[in-house]
């Protein structure tokens, strides 16, 4: 399986109001989550050393499950080299906002596919997989060409050409690569990782969830550091948190 390409393309910027005595030792989404939490009780002074730092404060938020404050801060990723099977799974997470490559768009050279490692390392399975996906691509190309030719005769050629690509796209397998812009708040990302980085999840989405986690641990360590990444005997990775029930 080719590794998915995971690019962080947007993140929260926090602009502290100048008439509130709020100073955080963090920035961006972490500072915003702390601000939102402290705003509930106007607890701008920090009498308790355990929650005086941003890290201590957010750790406490995670422990007590006051996770709504994490919803203010967001991260947006541009994901490429992933299959439509995986985006189908991502789209099930209802708190994300998504923009996916249109199936009406066919890249020059025809559609590429994501081949699972378990298939790729077995020559017989690899051959079957390649033959099936190539046959699908060929059938797609033939159907598209015929539909596009018919579309030329249509009074509304632009619409008919779009519909031709849409009809032909039905022949493409779920392994076909796609691209997705996905935005989520920190709470939604924690939930996604909690569900999709586990051993029970399919390898492709698990690999993606662990990759996203690494970026988020760099972006907002106090919010995601409780997830620990480990390796399974087959070399693939998973991630889990002792707070996963609250994820
Ligand atoms: C290993 C695995 C196998 C799976 N297999 C299948 C399968 O065979 N078939 C299938 O259809 N799906 C399957 N799924 C998908 C799964 O059922 C969920 O749709 C998906 O994981 C999204 O998670 P979620 O529903 O918890 O919520 P999200 O949409 O991510 O929302 C997060 C949380 O918000 C709350 N929430 C969101 N919407 C509502 C609502 N309308 N009402 C009340 N609370 C809400 C819930 O607490 C929810 O857990 C599988 C998932 C995994 C991880």
């Amino acid at each position: 399986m080719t590794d998915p390409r995971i690019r962080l393309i947007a993140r929260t910027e926090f602009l502290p109001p100048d008439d509130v005595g709020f100073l955080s030792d963090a920035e961006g989404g972490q500072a915003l989550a702390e601000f939102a939490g402290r705003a509930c009780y106007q607890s701008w002074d920090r009498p308790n050393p355990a929650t005086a730092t941003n890290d201590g404060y957010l750790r406490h938020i995670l422990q007590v499950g006051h996770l709504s404050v994490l919803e203010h801060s967001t991260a947006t990723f541009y994901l490429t080299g992933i299959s439509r099977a995986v985006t189908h799974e991502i789209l099930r997470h209802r708190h994300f906002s998504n923009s996916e490559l249109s199936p009406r768009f066919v890249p020059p050279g025809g559609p590429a596919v994501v081949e699972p490692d378990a298939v790729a390392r077995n020559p017989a399975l690899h051959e079957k997989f390649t033959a099936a996906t190539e046959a699908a691509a060929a059938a797609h190309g033939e159907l598209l060409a015929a539909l596009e030719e018919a579309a030329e005769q249509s009074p509304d050629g632009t619409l008919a050409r779009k519909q031709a690509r849409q009809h032909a796209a039905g022949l493409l397998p779920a392994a076909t690569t796609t691209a997705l812009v996905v935005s989520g708040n920190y709470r939604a990302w924690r939930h996604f990782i909690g569900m999709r980085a586990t051993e029970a999840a399919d390898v492709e989405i698990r690999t993606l969830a662990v990759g996203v986690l690494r970026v988020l641990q760099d972006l907002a360590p106090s919010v995601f550091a409780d997830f620990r990444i480990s390796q399974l005997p087959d070399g693939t990775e998973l991630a889990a948190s002792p707070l996963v029930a609250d994820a």
Side-chain angles (χ1 to χ4, degrees):
M1 190 174 71
T2 48
D3 280 339
R5 219 170 151 204
I6 300 167
R7 278 167 284 180
L8 179 73
I9 57 169
R11 62 186 173 211
T12 292
E13 182 184 5
F14 173 55
L15 308 171
D18 53 17
D19 62 340
V20 176
F22 175 75
L23 283 175
S24 178
D25 57 339
E27 297 179 336
Q30 294 190 120
L32 175 58
E34 180 187 351
F35 182 87
R38 291 195 186 281
C40 296
Y41 298 102
Q42 299 287 298
S43 57
W44 309 120
D45 55 340
R46 297 165 161 80
N48 181 355
T51 55
T53 62
N54 178 268
D55 183 62
Y57 190 84
L58 294 181
R59 200 182 296 259
H60 177 69
I61 289 286
L62 293 178
Q63 278 160 359
V64 297
H66 188 189
L67 301 184
S68 59
V69 300
L70 303 181
E71 294 170 16
H72 297 288
S73 306
T74 66
T76 299
F77 290 90
Y78 183 44
L79 306 174
T80 54
I82 56 173
S83 69
R84 287 184 66 80
V86 152
T87 56
H88 185 91
E89 292 177 305
I90 296 172
L91 265 55
R92 295 295 301 277
H93 293 272
R94 291 160 282 185
H95 302 293
F96 285 160
S97 302
N98 302 285
S99 300
E100 184 170 8
L101 179 78
S102 170
R104 288 173 171 173
F105 172 79
V106 183
V113 291
V114 176
E115 183 178 8
D117 283 342
V119 175
R121 48 175 185 257
N122 179 318
L125 295 183
H126 170 71
E127 200 176 313
K128 265 188 205 300
F129 183 90
T130 306
T133 51
E134 283 178 358
H140 170 267
E142 283 168 29
L143 188 64
L144 182 60
L147 288 167
E148 282 185 333
E149 195 181 322
E152 294 304 324
Q153 315 306 320
S154 166
D156 185 348
T158 305
L159 180 62
R161 276 193 298 279
K162 273 188 186 173
Q163 286 176 342
R165 289 196 288 273
Q166 183 76 46
H167 297 327
L171 288 183
L172 296 175
T176 305
T177 55
T178 185
L180 185 73
V181 175
V182 51
S183 300
N185 64 53
Y186 288 177
R187 186 182 196 175
W189 282 118
R190 282 183 60 82
H191 181 77
F192 172 77
I193 293 159
M195 297 206 75
R196 301 298 188 171
T198 65
E199 189 173 359
D202 178 60
V203 180
E204 189 185 353
I205 196 162
R206 175 154 44 89
T207 304
L208 183 69
V210 171
V212 163
L213 172 62
R214 284 202 164 90
V215 177
L216 291 172
Q217 285 184 327
D218 192 40
L219 176 71
S222 302
V223 179
F224 295 96
D226 53 307
F227 284 98
R228 292 273 177 271
I229 298 171
S230 58
Q231 213 173 46
L232 288 167
D234 68 2
T236 63
E237 292 181 316
L238 58 81
S241 160
L243 303 173
V244 76
D246 298 324

